[in-house]
Amino acid sequence: MFGICVLPPVWLQNYKPAGGALRNRQAVFSVRQQVAKMLAVLSVLLLFSSGPVCCVLQNLYCAFSDSCDCDFKPSVRDLEWDLYKNVFGQHLAQDIVSEEVARFLLNKSPDRPLVLSFHGSTGTGKTLVSTMLGNHLYGSAMSSPFVHQFVPTLHFPSAERVNQYREELKSWVKGNLTSCARSVFIFDEMEKMPPGLIDVLEPFLGPSHVVFRTNYRKAIYVFISTAGQEVITQVILENRQAGQERDEIKLSHLQEALAQEVYNNNKSGLFQSSIIQQKLITRFVPFLPLARTHVERCVRSQLCQRGICNRSDVVEAVGGDMIYTPAEGRYFSTTGCKTVSAKISVFL
């Protein structure tokens, strides 16, 4: 099947040749004409190309067009709306992600990439939020060739090959940043990442390093992990015992404790990582365990997607069928919203 490749903006009139050697105005004009013709030809080819050919041509276009950000078409407003409409029980994650992404994109020349580390138990929305990021940053959403996802069990399965993986990951990230400075890199299941592997990214995350031929500081990195869930659960339990509302929990209650737990946890993927030592993570984002009311909101949302919003009986049945912890209070679902879809099918 053929598709239409999204064209990057054309700023031919703003093209400026690099360097100061071309002092003669006629020579400068000639170079601009040649580049403009080349970009015009590439634009036409892009319009009628698809698939891998389109991506190759688009990368070539971006290499010569100063203002080209590939298919980067961010919509912060849509991201915020999606977060607040479809992510349940996560006021901290909603606020942090929307605020940090908005602040990062407003800065046309950031001094470092945006690095977010998502932490929390299964089914709390970590992967969902990372998907929303890709969907609202690129015109082609998560299918964009500039959104890169890594899963340790698939991409880095053998702890004995860490040195090989380090070289491959470094090369992969550098190559993709050269193709598109606005690249997004998502690392899922960090708790299964071989120790020491992720530190190869350190040169790309700080403000003082240089990556050849690209502004690497425009990239976004997302780490996703269940590490730190015990700290998060402990804080929210203490909050309940103190008679405070869930929404009263602030990031300051969790940020430092979460950073320490992830750093000292030998199954976090960031165990004793120089990335944490050098304070290269913009924010540790806690995802709170979900109560029954949040699970039931997940159920109702999925029922509405199937066109049957009025099935309150199914909402109550699925909510009651979940396993909750701790035993003495049964406050939080052990699987969050992860098994909701399968349970809906059982009770329909």
Side-chain angles (χ1 to χ4, degrees), residues 75-91:
S75 177
V76 176
R77 181 173 296 180
D78 288 345
L79 172 61
E80 290 176 348
W81 173 249
D82 207 0
L83 285 169
Y84 288 97
K85 180 183 177 184
N86 297 309
V87 180
F88 308 120
Q90 303 298 349
H91 69 285

Side-chain angles (χ1 to χ4, degrees), residues 91-108:
H91 69 285
L92 290 176
Q94 290 165 331
D95 291 346
I96 296 167
V97 172
S98 59
E99 289 171 8
E100 290 297 340
V101 170
R103 184 182 296 115
F104 182 71
L105 296 181
L106 279 174
N107 189 346
K108 300 302 181 183

